[in-house]
Amino acid sequence: MELQLLDKDKDSIRIQLLDADMTLVQPIINELIKDEGVDEVRHITGHPELDLPVLSIKVNNGKPQTALKRAAKTLSNEYKEALENLK
């Protein structure tokens, strides 16, 4: 999955998701929703054949890109632990 920055403010960010699969996007959204510093998370899909999905994150404190990194790191650790348990 590739991310493309569309818009950035001090408390919000909009990212276009290229080659996004909901099996990856949904866990990220769920982690962002759990984050107390995140005020709003929106996943805008638009037309399935014409539009690329957009992830919009708004925070009430901190930076939105930091919240996204935190969510990705948490998921990475969870999947790493699951992989180790399978071995």
Side-chain angles (χ1 to χ4, degrees), residues 5 9-11 14 18 20 29 34 37 45 52 60 63-64 67 72:
L5 181 63
D9 279 334
K10 67 176 187 170
D11 66 344
R14 287 182 52 232
L18 308 171
I29 292 170
K34 291 179 195 176
T45 56
L52 292 172
N60 50 26
K63 294 181 180 179

Side-chain angles (χ1 to χ4, degrees), residues 24 54 68:
L24 181 59
V54 174
L68 182 58

Side-chain angles (χ1 to χ4, degrees), residues 70-86:
R70 247 189 333 261
K73 184 69 173 173
T74 300
L75 288 173
S76 174
N77 290 338
E78 286 179 17
Y79 290 131
K80 182 179 179 182
E81 184 179 317
L83 180 62
E84 290 172 1
N85 289 337
L86 288 173

Side-chain angles (χ1 to χ4, degrees), residues 1 17-28 43 53:
M1 178 175 76
L17 307 171
L18 308 171
D19 301 323
D21 187 318
M22 283 307 293
T23 58
L24 181 59
V25 175
Q26 192 59 49
I28 291 173
H43 181 243

Side-chain angles (χ1 to χ4, degrees), residues 12-69:
S12 66
I13 193 169
R14 287 182 52 232
I15 302 167
Q16 194 167 46
L17 307 171
L18 308 171
D19 301 323
D21 187 318
M22 283 307 293
T23 58
L24 181 59
V25 175
Q26 192 59 49
I28 291 173
I29 292 170
N30 291 343
E31 283 302 316
L32 286 167
I33 290 170
K34 291 179 195 176
D35 191 327
E36 292 181 6
V38 175
D39 189 33
E40 179 182 313
V41 179
R42 294 187 305 150
H43 181 243
I44 304 146
T45 56
H47 189 278
E49 294 183 18
L50 300 176
D51 299 322
L52 292 172
V54 174
L55 184 63
S56 175
I57 305 165
K58 184 175 180 183
V59 295
N60 50 26
N61 60 31
K63 294 181 180 179
Q65 52 271 46
T66 303
L68 182 58
K69 288 178 187 177

